[in-house]
Amino acid sequence: MCGICGLIHFDGKPVTREMLAGMNDTLTHRGPDGEGYYMDGAVGLAMRRLKIIDIAGSDQPLSNEDGMIQVIFNGEIYNYRELRRQLEARGHRFKTEGDGETIAHLYEEHGGGALAYLRGMFALALLDRRRGRLLLARDRFGQKPLYYYVDRKVFVFASEIKAILAHPDVPRVSRFAADDRRALAEYLSFGYAPAPETAFVGIKMLPPAMTLSVDCNGALQERRYWQAPRLAPPDPSAQTSAYIGGLREQLEEAVKLRLVSDVPLGAFLSGGLDSSLIVALMRKHSNADIKTFSIGFEGDDSFDETPHAERVARHLNTEHSAFRVEPEAMSLLSDLVWHHDQPFADSSAIPTYLVSKLTRAQVTVALTGDGGDELFVGYERFYAAELMRKLSVLPAPIMRSAAGLLRHLPEGTGYYDPVKRARRFARAASQGLGDAYFDLARVFDTELLAEICPGAYRLPPMMYPYMNAGQPHPVAQLVEANMLSYLPDDLLIKTDRCSMQASLEARAPFLDHELAEFAASIPFNLKLNGSRAKRILKEAARGLLPDEIIERKKHGFGVPLGAWLRRDMSPVRELLLSRRARERGLLAMRVVERLIAEHESGARDHNRQLWALLTLEEWHRQFVDEAQVG
């Protein structure tokens, strides 16, 4: 695992080590074990290394035999041993024992087609000196990030935006303050800046499963090398018995591949189905002691999953560490924004950040359950969408009236607060299915967005660009859209940033692309059947986990943020109602004041909206204001 960065000067200006080091040093947390540089005239590559495989060797940049291909990469290639055997049989000579050198030799054989052979998570930069071309690429699901900036003079790329900003020719301009009401509306709705855009003018993110070819004369070309598979529609005659054997085989292979490591390895364990199944398969295929980690929080027991995690740990005989921490959301705000480089409204970054730091004290690699809900239709909003589809015969005004009535009831801050959940469902159900699904997931609903960000309500429906019109099943269409939006832009960004701030590598077996392709072929009704989500995955877990864990109600990974903020709203007021926040002119401050008052009084739980505004303001202070002062 590493952090990578580099640049091309289109005007021929030589790249200096000092210039590269200024960028590379911002990525030290991603790779504290070493650094590497390559400079060739107007082109430069740099990296920071976290040693996982071939600890004594594999220092980057890596090259082919004659050095005409230079590679830096962040991630892991899990099938590198198989690829290496094939390449050696064709006469390729290797200098290292690691996975990264495989990329250089594969490119010699297949050019840009080499990406199709890689099974893993990666963001890479490959310099083809013969062709005078730089090739960037990201893995299929976007587990590893890659950003770039380009103008007429320079092309700059990096694993994190802060490294790009370290280049003196890259401006720091907020898209939110550039009269771009759409950018602000998208952030307040999604809770993140949807790729390929970022919060900065001119800085973009390379989408998953894409390559970007950059010629030294300034020509750029994007190409998609993999397409997420279309989900199979329901088949009333389908039986789990026809798929269960293949699914178990794919799951076991995905886990086994991710056990390869030359450093201590463990797993996050929430006590839910996904992480528990991953740990069960680790136990099955490893003779070593398995370390597992969970985290709980003071303030609201409805968010605490540690008893379930401890039950699984006892069942699987793991060395389990359960951490319990006091409320500290506001104290972590600055660090979280710094590591995300952008405003980021998902407060589950708090537990992910903390458990990563605590886990890193014992291991360097941790397996996660990320991707299980996407592959096997596990989110409650998918079931809610299916229920709305069946209730669509009810007139929309009835649902709107119900939502209006519920709006007058006080909301608690508990995870399963019934008033809050019922109101959101009724409001969403009064809309078309695509809009309804987005309404369940979004931070600011349409009405509140129009109040706090005037003009934003005129935006077109935001989920539509992600929806595949060729998918006949409407809920499967939403699952596919989620795979293209929430998964790479929220869940995987959060996991990457929060783990890498601790120099911890996080591996997600469910995001093995061969497993994902097999899972997509399973009829939709074997995943979501009535109110039963993840039906076939639960059957695959039989015999590995206790039934009470398999059938446990879905519980997201979160913190009691609403209760924490309500204890003392003064830090929230100080940041959101400050003179600097008012002078930005981004938000209707009367609405911000109302949100704070309603949350403090207990009338409404606005923790998601307030956290979105807090990270937005803190981001401006760290990344924009300081540059303007300087």
Side-chain angles (χ1 to χ4, degrees):
M1 189 67 70
C2 303
I4 64 173
C5 60
L7 67 150
I8 300 174
H9 285 148
F10 297 137
D11 59 6
K13 176 183 175 181
V15 174
T16 66
R17 177 164 178 138
E18 180 183 15
M19 186 179 297
L20 278 175
M23 299 169 58
N24 206 29
D25 288 349
T26 68
L27 302 173
T28 301
H29 55 283
R30 298 186 72 92
D33 299 332
E35 60 184 349
Y37 294 89
Y38 175 84
M39 289 157 287
D40 183 10
V43 180
L45 307 175
M47 55 76 63
R48 294 287 320 189
R49 186 181 178 200
L50 177 65
K51 295 182 178 182
I52 303 293
I53 294 175
D54 189 20
I55 294 174
S58 295
D59 290 334
Q60 299 181 33
L62 298 158
S63 69
N64 65 334
E65 292 89 343
D66 62 8
M68 295 304 289
I69 297 169
Q70 298 285 331
V71 175
I72 53 175
F73 94 110
N74 167 29
E76 301 290 349
I77 309 303
Y78 300 120
N79 63 334
Y80 79 97
R81 289 172 174 165
E82 175 189 351
L83 293 173
R84 179 178 178 132
R85 286 193 294 269
Q86 296 170 0
L87 289 163
E88 286 178 329
R90 294 183 62 83
H92 290 269
R93 301 186 307 279
F94 284 73
K95 307 182 190 75
T96 71
E97 298 299 322
D99 55 336
E101 190 181 352
T102 305
I103 300 168
H105 295 288
L106 265 180
Y107 181 83
E108 279 190 286
E109 289 286 329
H110 305 288
L115 282 305
Y117 293 86
L118 300 179
R119 190 173 183 179
M121 58 176 182
F122 54 84
L124 64 86
L126 182 149
L127 178 62
D128 185 337
R129 296 174 61 198
R130 288 193 180 89
R131 294 180 175 84
R133 181 176 69 185
L134 180 69
L135 183 71
L136 306 184
R138 281 183 78 198
D139 64 70
R140 293 167 178 82
F141 289 105
Q143 295 177 73
K144 294 290 102 184
L146 198 56
Y147 300 89
Y148 66 92
Y149 169 85
V150 62
D151 62 23
R152 289 182 298 175
K153 296 191 303 180
V154 67
F155 177 87
V156 189
F157 71 89
S159 297
E160 296 183 11
I161 293 173
K162 62 175 65 67
I164 295 176
L165 295 173
H167 190 281
D169 292 340
V170 178
R172 293 181 179 230
V173 180
S174 166
R175 285 182 64 227
F176 309 124
D179 296 324
D180 187 348
R181 304 304 284 175
R182 182 185 185 98
L184 182 58
E186 286 181 339
Y187 167 67
L188 293 176
S189 298
F190 285 100
Y192 52 81
E197 300 298 336
T198 69
F200 295 90
V201 172
I203 298 179
K204 296 186 181 297
M205 182 180 225
L206 184 65
M210 296 289 286
T211 64
L212 177 64
S213 175
V214 187
D215 290 339
C216 291
N217 62 9
L220 275 66
Q221 183 177 14
E222 277 194 359
R223 184 182 71 85
R224 176 168 294 281
Y225 68 88
W226 184 79
Q227 191 74 45
R230 180 178 297 178
L231 301 184
D235 178 0
S237 65
Q239 300 293 320
T240 57
S241 57
Y243 298 91
I244 199 75
L247 176 57
R248 284 175 175 159
E249 182 179 334
Q250 290 284 345
L251 285 166
E252 294 193 23
E253 177 71 6
V255 170
K256 283 191 292 184
L257 285 172
R258 285 155 182 81
L259 294 178
V260 176
S261 175
D262 293 333
V263 295
L265 181 148
F268 293 157
L269 179 60
S270 70
L273 174 62
D274 298 340
S275 64
S276 299
L277 181 55
I278 294 301
V279 174
L281 292 173
M282 290 173 70
R283 165 57 65 213
K284 182 176 181 180
H285 293 288
S286 175
N287 294 322
D289 293 334
I290 296 175
K291 295 179 182 291
T292 54
F293 306 89
S294 64
I295 193 164
F297 301 90
E298 302 291 341
D300 189 333
D301 289 342
S302 69
F303 286 83
D304 189 3
E305 295 187 277
T306 52
H308 305 290
E310 289 167 354
R311 167 76 176 90
V312 176
R314 288 194 299 271
H315 178 77
L316 297 175
N317 193 29
T318 71
E319 294 183 15
H320 188 64
S321 298
F323 310 108
R324 193 170 182 87
V325 299
E326 296 288 334
E328 53 177 314
M330 293 302 293
S331 66
L332 293 176
L333 178 63
S334 179
D335 281 351
L336 287 170
V337 170
W338 172 250
H339 284 290
H340 280 81
D341 292 337
Q342 302 187 75
F344 189 73
D346 188 346
S347 63
S348 67
I350 298 171
T352 308
Y353 180 88
L354 291 171
V355 77
S356 295
K357 289 177 66 176
L358 296 166
T359 298
R360 183 61 176 90
Q362 299 187 47
V363 300
T364 311
V365 177
L367 271 62
T368 80
D370 288 351
D373 288 314
E374 281 74 16
L375 264 60
F376 298 100
V377 196
Y379 292 121
E380 285 184 305
R381 57 182 180 264
F382 295 143
Y383 163 60
E386 177 68 9
L387 183 58
M388 288 176 197
R389 189 169 73 93
K390 295 177 179 177
L391 293 175
S392 61
V393 295
L394 295 176
I398 293 178
M399 303 308 292
R400 283 196 293 269
S401 297
L405 291 172
L406 289 165
R407 191 181 188 92
H408 297 291
L409 297 178
E411 291 181 356
T413 57
Y415 186 85
Y416 293 110
D417 180 71
V419 174
K420 181 168 53 180
R421 293 162 73 87
R423 185 183 62 79
R424 293 187 71 182
F425 179 86
R427 185 190 66 219
S430 67
Q431 307 172 62
L433 194 59
D435 291 334
Y437 173 79
F438 184 44
D439 201 59
L440 288 173
R442 66 190 296 166
V443 181
F444 281 77
D445 62 42
T446 304
E447 294 79 10
L448 191 52
L449 179 63
E451 287 186 78
I452 200 167
C453 182
Y457 64 95
R458 298 188 181 92
L459 291 175
M462 294 182 182
M463 285 304 293
Y464 289 3
Y466 302 99
M467 296 173 68
N468 178 9
Q471 169 56 255
H473 192 278
V475 180
Q477 190 179 58
L478 297 174
V479 177
E480 292 177 352
N482 185 87
M483 188 83 74
L484 299 175
S485 55
Y486 172 77
L487 175 67
D489 290 350
D490 186 306
L491 180 61
L492 297 181
I493 288 292
K494 174 191 68 180
T495 299
D496 173 81
R497 295 304 192 282
C498 293
S499 60
M500 291 311 300
Q501 60 79 27
S503 305
L504 176 75
E505 176 171 297
R507 299 178 177 179
F510 281 115
L511 294 180
D512 183 280
H513 77 275
E514 293 191 14
L515 169 59
E517 289 169 351
F518 181 85
S521 72
I522 299 173
F524 196 74
N525 56 305
L526 296 186
K527 302 169 190 172
L528 180 62
N529 190 306
S531 62
R532 192 172 188 224
K534 293 183 177 175
R535 175 185 170 191
I536 195 165
L537 188 65
K538 291 176 178 178
E539 295 309 312
R542 300 289 179 200
L544 293 171
L545 295 169
D547 284 350
E548 62 265 30
I549 294 297
I550 294 174
E551 298 298 342
R552 212 187 119 210
K553 188 176 182 179
K554 170 68 180 175
H555 193 297
F557 190 41
V559 294
L561 181 62
W564 288 359
L565 294 180
R566 195 170 282 171
R567 286 183 179 185
D568 181 8
M569 294 292 288
S570 56
V572 177
R573 283 194 178 86
E574 289 172 8
L575 196 62
L576 297 186
L577 302 180
S578 64
R579 179 177 177 180
R580 272 206 275 180
R582 293 178 185 277
E583 289 176 348
R584 295 191 202 287
L586 296 178
L587 306 169
M589 297 307 293
R590 59 176 177 79
V591 180
V592 179
E593 292 169 352
R594 192 185 82 212
L595 295 178
I596 294 173
E598 289 179 346
H599 187 84
E600 186 173 39
S601 70
R604 298 288 299 277
D605 178 12
H606 290 308
N607 79 84
R608 297 182 71 213
Q609 293 78 18
L610 292 174
W611 192 248
L613 299 180
L614 288 165
T615 61
L616 178 65
E617 175 61 22
E618 178 65 22
W619 173 79
H620 272 100
R621 294 186 178 208
Q622 287 191 31
F623 286 91
V624 181
D625 293 355
E626 294 304 317
Q628 292 173 348
V629 171

Short mmCIF file of all heavy atoms in Angstrom, two decimals, residues 378-422:
data_model
loop_
_atom_site.label_atom_id
_atom_site.label_comp_id
_atom_site.label_asym_id
_atom_site.label_seq_id
_atom_site.Cartn_x
_atom_site.Cartn_y
_atom_site.Cartn_z
N GLY A 378 -28.36 -5.47 0.62
CA GLY A 378 -28.52 -5.49 2.06
C GLY A 378 -29.04 -4.23 2.69
O GLY A 378 -29.53 -4.28 3.83
N TYR A 379 -28.97 -3.09 2.01
CA TYR A 379 -29.39 -1.84 2.65
C TYR A 379 -30.91 -1.81 2.82
O TYR A 379 -31.66 -2.24 1.94
CB TYR A 379 -28.95 -0.64 1.83
CG TYR A 379 -27.46 -0.42 1.81
CD1 TYR A 379 -26.75 -0.41 0.61
CD2 TYR A 379 -26.75 -0.22 2.99
CE1 TYR A 379 -25.38 -0.21 0.59
CE2 TYR A 379 -25.38 -0.03 2.97
CZ TYR A 379 -24.70 -0.03 1.77
OH TYR A 379 -23.35 0.17 1.74
N GLU A 380 -31.33 -1.24 3.94
CA GLU A 380 -32.77 -1.13 4.22
C GLU A 380 -33.48 -0.31 3.15
O GLU A 380 -34.65 -0.54 2.86
CB GLU A 380 -33.00 -0.52 5.59
CG GLU A 380 -32.72 -1.45 6.74
CD GLU A 380 -33.07 -0.82 8.07
OE1 GLU A 380 -32.56 0.29 8.35
OE2 GLU A 380 -33.87 -1.43 8.80
N ARG A 381 -32.78 0.65 2.56
CA ARG A 381 -33.43 1.49 1.55
C ARG A 381 -33.80 0.69 0.30
O ARG A 381 -34.69 1.09 -0.44
CB ARG A 381 -32.57 2.70 1.20
CG ARG A 381 -31.17 2.43 0.71
CD ARG A 381 -30.45 3.75 0.46
NE ARG A 381 -29.09 3.62 -0.01
CZ ARG A 381 -28.02 3.65 0.76
NH1 ARG A 381 -28.16 3.80 2.07
NH2 ARG A 381 -26.80 3.55 0.25
N PHE A 382 -33.13 -0.45 0.05
CA PHE A 382 -33.53 -1.30 -1.07
C PHE A 382 -34.87 -1.98 -0.76
O PHE A 382 -35.76 -2.05 -1.62
CB PHE A 382 -32.46 -2.34 -1.36
CG PHE A 382 -31.15 -1.78 -1.84
CD1 PHE A 382 -29.95 -2.35 -1.45
CD2 PHE A 382 -31.12 -0.66 -2.67
CE1 PHE A 382 -28.74 -1.84 -1.89
CE2 PHE A 382 -29.90 -0.14 -3.11
CZ PHE A 382 -28.71 -0.73 -2.72
N TYR A 383 -34.99 -2.49 0.46
CA TYR A 383 -36.27 -3.09 0.85
C TYR A 383 -37.36 -2.04 0.87
O TYR A 383 -38.49 -2.28 0.43
CB TYR A 383 -36.15 -3.75 2.23
CG TYR A 383 -37.48 -4.02 2.88
CD1 TYR A 383 -38.42 -4.85 2.27
CD2 TYR A 383 -37.82 -3.42 4.09
CE1 TYR A 383 -39.66 -5.08 2.86
CE2 TYR A 383 -39.04 -3.65 4.68
CZ TYR A 383 -39.96 -4.48 4.06
OH TYR A 383 -41.18 -4.69 4.63
N ALA A 384 -37.02 -0.84 1.36
CA ALA A 384 -38.01 0.25 1.38
C ALA A 384 -38.47 0.59 -0.03
O ALA A 384 -39.66 0.84 -0.27
CB ALA A 384 -37.42 1.48 2.05
N ALA A 385 -37.54 0.59 -0.99
CA ALA A 385 -37.90 0.87 -2.38
C ALA A 385 -38.83 -0.21 -2.93
O ALA A 385 -39.79 0.08 -3.66
CB ALA A 385 -36.65 0.97 -3.24
N GLU A 386 -38.57 -1.46 -2.57
CA GLU A 386 -39.43 -2.55 -3.02
C GLU A 386 -40.83 -2.40 -2.41
O GLU A 386 -41.85 -2.61 -3.09
CB GLU A 386 -38.82 -3.89 -2.62
CG GLU A 386 -39.65 -5.11 -2.97
CD GLU A 386 -39.77 -5.36 -4.47
OE1 GLU A 386 -39.07 -4.70 -5.25
OE2 GLU A 386 -40.58 -6.22 -4.86
N LEU A 387 -40.89 -2.01 -1.14
CA LEU A 387 -42.18 -1.79 -0.49
C LEU A 387 -42.92 -0.62 -1.13
O LEU A 387 -44.14 -0.69 -1.36
CB LEU A 387 -41.97 -1.54 1.00
CG LEU A 387 -43.22 -1.35 1.87
CD1 LEU A 387 -44.13 -2.58 1.77
CD2 LEU A 387 -42.83 -1.09 3.32
N MET A 388 -42.21 0.45 -1.45
CA MET A 388 -42.83 1.60 -2.12
C MET A 388 -43.39 1.21 -3.48
O MET A 388 -44.44 1.69 -3.90
CB MET A 388 -41.80 2.72 -2.29
CG MET A 388 -41.43 3.43 -1.01
SD MET A 388 -40.14 4.65 -1.36
CE MET A 388 -39.52 4.94 0.28
N ARG A 389 -42.66 0.35 -4.16
CA ARG A 389 -43.14 -0.10 -5.48
C ARG A 389 -44.48 -0.81 -5.35
O ARG A 389 -45.39 -0.63 -6.16
CB ARG A 389 -42.10 -1.04 -6.10
CG ARG A 389 -42.36 -1.40 -7.56
CD ARG A 389 -41.15 -2.09 -8.14
NE ARG A 389 -40.98 -3.44 -7.63
CZ ARG A 389 -41.46 -4.54 -8.21
NH1 ARG A 389 -42.15 -4.44 -9.34
NH2 ARG A 389 -41.27 -5.72 -7.69
N LYS A 390 -44.64 -1.58 -4.28
CA LYS A 390 -45.89 -2.31 -4.07
C LYS A 390 -47.00 -1.38 -3.58
O LYS A 390 -48.18 -1.65 -3.79
CB LYS A 390 -45.67 -3.44 -3.07
CG LYS A 390 -44.72 -4.52 -3.62
CD LYS A 390 -44.45 -5.60 -2.58
CE LYS A 390 -43.53 -6.68 -3.15
NZ LYS A 390 -43.19 -7.71 -2.15
N LEU A 391 -46.60 -0.28 -2.90
CA LEU A 391 -47.58 0.68 -2.39
C LEU A 391 -47.89 1.80 -3.37
O LEU A 391 -48.62 2.73 -3.03
CB LEU A 391 -47.08 1.29 -1.08
CG LEU A 391 -46.95 0.36 0.13
CD1 LEU A 391 -46.32 1.10 1.31
CD2 LEU A 391 -48.32 -0.21 0.52
N SER A 392 -47.33 1.70 -4.57
CA SER A 392 -47.48 2.79 -5.53
C SER A 392 -48.93 3.00 -5.96
O SER A 392 -49.26 4.03 -6.56
CB SER A 392 -46.61 2.53 -6.76
OG SER A 392 -47.00 1.33 -7.41
N VAL A 393 -49.81 2.03 -5.65
CA VAL A 393 -51.23 2.19 -5.99
C VAL A 393 -51.90 3.24 -5.11
O VAL A 393 -52.96 3.78 -5.45
CB VAL A 393 -51.98 0.85 -5.86
CG1 VAL A 393 -51.45 -0.14 -6.89
CG2 VAL A 393 -51.83 0.26 -4.45
N LEU A 394 -51.26 3.55 -3.95
CA LEU A 394 -51.83 4.58 -3.07
C LEU A 394 -51.56 5.96 -3.65
O LEU A 394 -50.46 6.24 -4.13
CB LEU A 394 -51.21 4.49 -1.67
CG LEU A 394 -51.51 3.21 -0.88
CD1 LEU A 394 -50.74 3.24 0.45
CD2 LEU A 394 -53.00 3.08 -0.62
N PRO A 395 -52.54 6.85 -3.61
CA PRO A 395 -52.33 8.21 -4.13
C PRO A 395 -51.22 8.93 -3.38
O PRO A 395 -51.12 8.84 -2.15
CB PRO A 395 -53.69 8.89 -3.90
CG PRO A 395 -54.67 7.76 -3.77
CD PRO A 395 -53.91 6.63 -3.13
N ALA A 396 -50.37 9.65 -4.12
CA ALA A 396 -49.26 10.39 -3.52
C ALA A 396 -49.71 11.36 -2.44
O ALA A 396 -49.02 11.52 -1.42
CB ALA A 396 -48.46 11.10 -4.60
N PRO A 397 -50.85 12.05 -2.60
CA PRO A 397 -51.27 12.99 -1.55
C PRO A 397 -51.46 12.34 -0.18
O PRO A 397 -51.26 12.99 0.85
CB PRO A 397 -52.59 13.55 -2.09
CG PRO A 397 -52.46 13.44 -3.57
CD PRO A 397 -51.72 12.16 -3.80
N ILE A 398 -51.86 11.06 -0.17
CA ILE A 398 -52.03 10.37 1.11
C ILE A 398 -50.69 10.26 1.83
O ILE A 398 -50.58 10.52 3.04
CB ILE A 398 -52.65 8.97 0.89
CG1 ILE A 398 -54.09 9.11 0.39
CG2 ILE A 398 -52.59 8.14 2.17
CD1 ILE A 398 -54.77 7.79 0.09
N MET A 399 -49.65 9.88 1.08
CA MET A 399 -48.33 9.74 1.69
C MET A 399 -47.77 11.10 2.10
O MET A 399 -47.12 11.22 3.15
CB MET A 399 -47.37 9.04 0.71
CG MET A 399 -47.84 7.67 0.24
SD MET A 399 -48.28 6.54 1.60
CE MET A 399 -46.68 6.25 2.35
N ARG A 400 -48.03 12.12 1.30
CA ARG A 400 -47.55 13.46 1.67
C ARG A 400 -48.24 13.96 2.93
O ARG A 400 -47.61 14.58 3.79
CB ARG A 400 -47.79 14.44 0.51
CG ARG A 400 -46.77 14.31 -0.62
CD ARG A 400 -46.80 15.54 -1.51
NE ARG A 400 -48.06 15.65 -2.24
CZ ARG A 400 -48.26 15.13 -3.45
NH1 ARG A 400 -47.29 14.46 -4.06
NH2 ARG A 400 -49.43 15.26 -4.06
N SER A 401 -49.52 13.65 3.07
CA SER A 401 -50.25 14.05 4.29
C SER A 401 -49.70 13.33 5.51
O SER A 401 -49.55 13.93 6.58
CB SER A 401 -51.74 13.74 4.13
OG SER A 401 -52.30 14.50 3.08
N ALA A 402 -49.40 12.04 5.35
CA ALA A 402 -48.82 11.28 6.46
C ALA A 402 -47.49 11.86 6.88
O ALA A 402 -47.19 12.01 8.08
CB ALA A 402 -48.67 9.81 6.07
N ALA A 403 -46.65 12.21 5.89
CA ALA A 403 -45.35 12.80 6.19
C ALA A 403 -45.52 14.14 6.91
O ALA A 403 -44.77 14.45 7.85
CB ALA A 403 -44.54 12.99 4.91
N GLY A 404 -46.52 14.92 6.49
CA GLY A 404 -46.78 16.20 7.12
C GLY A 404 -47.20 16.06 8.57
O GLY A 404 -46.78 16.83 9.44
N LEU A 405 -48.05 15.07 8.84
CA LEU A 405 -48.49 14.84 10.21
C LEU A 405 -47.33 14.40 11.10
O LEU A 405 -47.18 14.86 12.24
CB LEU A 405 -49.60 13.79 10.23
CG LEU A 405 -50.95 14.20 9.61
CD1 LEU A 405 -51.88 13.00 9.52
CD2 LEU A 405 -51.59 15.32 10.45
N LEU A 406 -46.49 13.52 10.58
CA LEU A 406 -45.36 13.02 11.35
C LEU A 406 -44.33 14.11 11.62
O LEU A 406 -43.57 14.03 12.58
CB LEU A 406 -44.70 11.84 10.61
CG LEU A 406 -45.52 10.55 10.56
CD1 LEU A 406 -44.96 9.60 9.52
CD2 LEU A 406 -45.52 9.88 11.94
N ARG A 407 -44.32 15.10 10.76
CA ARG A 407 -43.35 16.19 10.91
C ARG A 407 -43.53 16.95 12.22
O ARG A 407 -42.58 17.55 12.74
CB ARG A 407 -43.49 17.14 9.72
CG ARG A 407 -42.38 18.18 9.59
CD ARG A 407 -42.62 19.10 8.40
NE ARG A 407 -41.49 19.96 8.16
CZ ARG A 407 -40.48 19.69 7.34
NH1 ARG A 407 -40.48 18.54 6.68
NH2 ARG A 407 -39.47 20.53 7.18
N HIS A 408 -44.73 16.91 12.77
CA HIS A 408 -45.02 17.66 13.99
C HIS A 408 -44.66 16.89 15.26
O HIS A 408 -44.75 17.44 16.36
CB HIS A 408 -46.50 18.05 14.03
CG HIS A 408 -46.90 18.96 12.89
ND1 HIS A 408 -46.47 20.26 12.80
CD2 HIS A 408 -47.68 18.73 11.80
CE1 HIS A 408 -46.96 20.82 11.70
NE2 HIS A 408 -47.71 19.91 11.08
N LEU A 409 -44.27 15.62 15.10
CA LEU A 409 -43.89 14.82 16.27
C LEU A 409 -42.40 14.99 16.56
O LEU A 409 -41.60 15.10 15.63
CB LEU A 409 -44.21 13.35 16.03
CG LEU A 409 -45.70 13.00 15.82
CD1 LEU A 409 -45.84 11.51 15.56
CD2 LEU A 409 -46.53 13.41 17.03
N PRO A 410 -42.00 15.02 17.82
CA PRO A 410 -40.57 15.15 18.14
C PRO A 410 -39.81 13.91 17.71
O PRO A 410 -40.33 12.79 17.75
CB PRO A 410 -40.57 15.32 19.66
CG PRO A 410 -41.85 14.72 20.12
CD PRO A 410 -42.85 14.96 19.02
N GLU A 411 -38.55 14.13 17.30
CA GLU A 411 -37.71 13.03 16.84
C GLU A 411 -36.62 12.74 17.87
O GLU A 411 -35.98 13.66 18.38
CB GLU A 411 -37.04 13.37 15.51
CG GLU A 411 -37.99 13.44 14.34
CD GLU A 411 -37.27 13.75 13.04
OE1 GLU A 411 -36.04 13.99 13.07
OE2 GLU A 411 -37.94 13.77 12.00
N GLY A 412 -36.41 11.46 18.14
CA GLY A 412 -35.29 11.07 18.98
C GLY A 412 -34.03 10.92 18.16
O GLY A 412 -34.04 11.00 16.93
N THR A 413 -32.91 10.66 18.84
CA THR A 413 -31.63 10.52 18.16
C THR A 413 -31.19 9.06 18.07
O THR A 413 -30.09 8.77 17.61
CB THR A 413 -30.54 11.33 18.89
OG1 THR A 413 -30.47 10.89 20.25
CG2 THR A 413 -30.84 12.81 18.85
N GLY A 414 -32.05 8.12 18.52
CA GLY A 414 -31.69 6.70 18.48
C GLY A 414 -31.59 6.17 17.07
O GLY A 414 -32.17 6.71 16.12
N TYR A 415 -30.86 5.06 16.92
CA TYR A 415 -30.64 4.48 15.59
C TYR A 415 -31.96 4.07 14.94
O TYR A 415 -32.14 4.25 13.74
CB TYR A 415 -29.71 3.27 15.71
CG TYR A 415 -29.32 2.71 14.36
CD1 TYR A 415 -28.26 3.25 13.64
CD2 TYR A 415 -30.03 1.64 13.78
CE1 TYR A 415 -27.92 2.75 12.40
CE2 TYR A 415 -29.70 1.15 12.54
CZ TYR A 415 -28.64 1.70 11.86
OH TYR A 415 -28.30 1.22 10.61
N TYR A 416 -32.86 3.49 15.71
CA TYR A 416 -34.13 3.01 15.15
C TYR A 416 -35.31 3.91 15.53
O TYR A 416 -36.43 3.44 15.67
CB TYR A 416 -34.41 1.58 15.64
CG TYR A 416 -33.45 0.56 15.10
CD1 TYR A 416 -32.53 -0.06 15.93
CD2 TYR A 416 -33.45 0.20 13.75
CE1 TYR A 416 -31.63 -1.01 15.45
CE2 TYR A 416 -32.57 -0.76 13.26
CZ TYR A 416 -31.66 -1.36 14.11
OH TYR A 416 -30.77 -2.29 13.62
N ASP A 417 -35.08 5.22 15.70
CA ASP A 417 -36.16 6.11 16.10
C ASP A 417 -37.35 5.96 15.15
O ASP A 417 -37.24 6.22 13.94
CB ASP A 417 -35.69 7.56 16.09
CG ASP A 417 -36.80 8.50 16.51
OD1 ASP A 417 -37.14 8.50 17.70
OD2 ASP A 417 -37.33 9.22 15.64
N PRO A 418 -38.54 5.53 15.64
CA PRO A 418 -39.66 5.21 14.76
C PRO A 418 -40.26 6.43 14.05
O PRO A 418 -40.70 6.32 12.90
CB PRO A 418 -40.68 4.54 15.69
CG PRO A 418 -40.33 5.05 17.06
CD PRO A 418 -38.85 5.23 17.06
N VAL A 419 -40.33 7.57 14.73
CA VAL A 419 -40.92 8.77 14.11
C VAL A 419 -40.08 9.21 12.92
O VAL A 419 -40.59 9.48 11.83
CB VAL A 419 -41.05 9.90 15.14
CG1 VAL A 419 -41.53 11.18 14.45
CG2 VAL A 419 -42.02 9.50 16.25
N LYS A 420 -38.78 9.29 13.11
CA LYS A 420 -37.88 9.73 12.06
C LYS A 420 -37.95 8.80 10.86
O LYS A 420 -38.03 9.24 9.70
CB LYS A 420 -36.46 9.81 12.61
CG LYS A 420 -35.40 10.29 11.63
CD LYS A 420 -34.09 10.60 12.36
CE LYS A 420 -33.61 9.45 13.20
NZ LYS A 420 -32.34 9.75 13.89
N ARG A 421 -37.95 7.49 11.11
CA ARG A 421 -37.95 6.52 10.01
C ARG A 421 -39.29 6.55 9.27
O ARG A 421 -39.33 6.49 8.04
CB ARG A 421 -37.65 5.13 10.57
CG ARG A 421 -36.23 5.01 11.09
CD ARG A 421 -36.07 3.81 12.01
NE ARG A 421 -36.09 2.56 11.28
CZ ARG A 421 -35.03 1.99 10.74
NH1 ARG A 421 -33.84 2.57 10.85
NH2 ARG A 421 -35.12 0.83 10.10
N ALA A 422 -40.40 6.66 10.02
CA ALA A 422 -41.71 6.67 9.38
C ALA A 422 -41.91 7.93 8.54
O ALA A 422 -42.47 7.89 7.44
CB ALA A 422 -42.80 6.57 10.45
#
